[in-house]
Amino acid sequence: MSTLWIGTSWKMTKTLAEARAWATGLRDHLGDTAGGGTASDSAGDTASDGARGATAPSGVQPFVIPSFTATTTVSEVLGEDSPVLLGVQNAHWEDAGAWTGEVSVPQAKDAGAQIVEIGHSERREHFGETVETTRRKVAAALRHGLTPLLCIGESAEVKERGGSSAFILEQAAGALQGLDAGELARVVIAYEPIWAIGEAGRPATAEELVAPFAALGAAYSGKVSGLLYGGSVNLDNAADLLGIEHVSGLFVGRTAWRLEGYLELLRIAEAHAAGRRT
């Protein structure tokens, strides 16, 4: 049975104080779950005794992707031994150089990142990211030992033409071109249809996701670390989404920005994982 990935990207939200409070709450919750202590850490500079005893919910891999400014804060609060993986929302494909405003994979890793989010539709739309740049970024993340979280997804127009599966397979294949089996096994793919994400997004029905995940499953199931779904995920539909064949996790926005929402998603995923074992 594969692990269920449950993660959130904060996009351009949260101050350092808000990030510290969210991370401290998660750290202490996982410490409680593991039977560890819950020593106070108001400054957020070091991990508490509870963090060192923390464990992820059974069958679940939690991850969080804050804004760049909060990366080191969240890393320090969670602690080195945290079961929660930490990510960044973007990174350049070059290791260093005259790329004003960019952050390299080595810099992200130095700040504590273990995951690099790549190719989100907002990056493609507003910042001109292409299949070729996603390929370069995937390669850079792998080169430095980080997990590429490749985002793919189609527009409403593509969906209406019946081309969803072909479109997302082309996006994925272009970004993953040239990888050997070992490298591919370190990749996580998040399918996020553009029509379902953001404030204006419409939650997808489980029936709408069967065909895209059947296509992704045929191409990548057992070959990548995870096939995630993201797009208007909430506490009411999370369990149904996890029940779709080939879905091995959720990549969540607003619902998980509140710590209580994220903790509930972890609980739902843990219950789902337990059900798959029985």
Side-chain angles (χ1 to χ4, degrees):
M1 183 196 72
S2 62
T3 298
L4 294 175
W5 295 70
I6 302 295
T8 179
S9 171
W10 293 349
K11 301 194 177 186
M12 199 171 68
T13 71
K14 296 194 186 298
T15 63
L16 291 181
E18 291 167 338
R20 183 178 293 112
W22 192 100
T24 300
L26 176 60
R27 180 201 67 197
D28 290 349
H29 172 81
L30 296 179
D32 283 345
T33 302
T38 56
S40 166
D41 180 21
S42 59
D45 290 330
T46 58
S48 71
D49 291 341
R52 287 192 288 272
T55 58
S58 180
V60 180
Q61 175 58 70
F63 68 95
V64 57
I65 306 181
S67 62
F68 274 119
T69 58
T71 305
T72 55
T73 294
V74 174
S75 176
E76 290 166 357
V77 171
L78 293 177
E80 292 182 1
D81 298 327
S82 175
V84 182
L85 297 179
L86 179 65
V88 291
Q89 297 175 26
N90 181 42
H92 200 272
W93 58 84
E94 292 289 350
D95 291 354
W99 301 95
T100 300
E102 291 289 330
V103 174
S104 70
V105 174
Q107 288 175 316
K109 184 175 182 178
D110 186 52
Q114 299 148 295
I115 296 173
V116 180
E117 182 180 355
I118 296 168
H120 190 280
S121 61
E122 292 162 358
R123 298 289 312 173
R124 296 177 192 260
E125 178 183 0
H126 300 299
F127 300 100
E129 295 207 359
T130 65
V131 169
E132 174 59 18
T133 59
T134 62
R135 184 192 67 77
R136 293 182 181 186
K137 292 180 179 188
V138 167
L142 291 170
R143 187 168 66 248
H144 292 284
L146 275 66
T147 297
L149 173 59
L150 174 65
C151 299
I152 57 175
E154 85 284 14
S155 66
E157 291 75 19
V158 171
K159 179 181 184 296
E160 290 167 5
R161 294 198 301 267
S164 296
S165 295
F167 185 90
I168 61 176
L169 287 177
E170 183 177 357
Q171 280 188 323
L176 304 177
Q177 182 181 355
L179 300 186
D180 61 32
E183 292 169 327
L184 190 60
R186 295 160 53 196
V187 173
V188 176
I189 297 175
Y191 170 50
E192 297 189 300
I194 299 170
W195 48 270
I197 65 175
E199 288 184 294
R202 172 182 67 79
T205 65
E207 290 75 16
E208 289 176 301
L209 300 177
V210 169
F213 272 100
L216 288 171
Y220 296 108
S221 184
K223 298 178 181 179
V224 297
S225 286
L227 293 172
L228 281 51
Y229 174 72
S232 298
V233 176
N234 56 55
L235 301 183
D236 293 327
N237 64 15
D240 289 340
L241 294 170
L242 288 172
I244 298 170
E245 187 175 9
H246 301 301
V247 171
S248 55
L250 300 173
F251 192 27
V252 190
R254 288 166 177 76
T255 295
W257 293 352
R258 292 186 311 107
L259 177 62
E260 295 79 6
Y262 185 68
L263 296 180
E264 181 62 14
L265 288 166
L266 293 180
R267 187 200 65 76
I268 292 170
E270 183 176 28
H272 188 83
R276 296 197 306 182
R277 290 194 296 268
T278 59

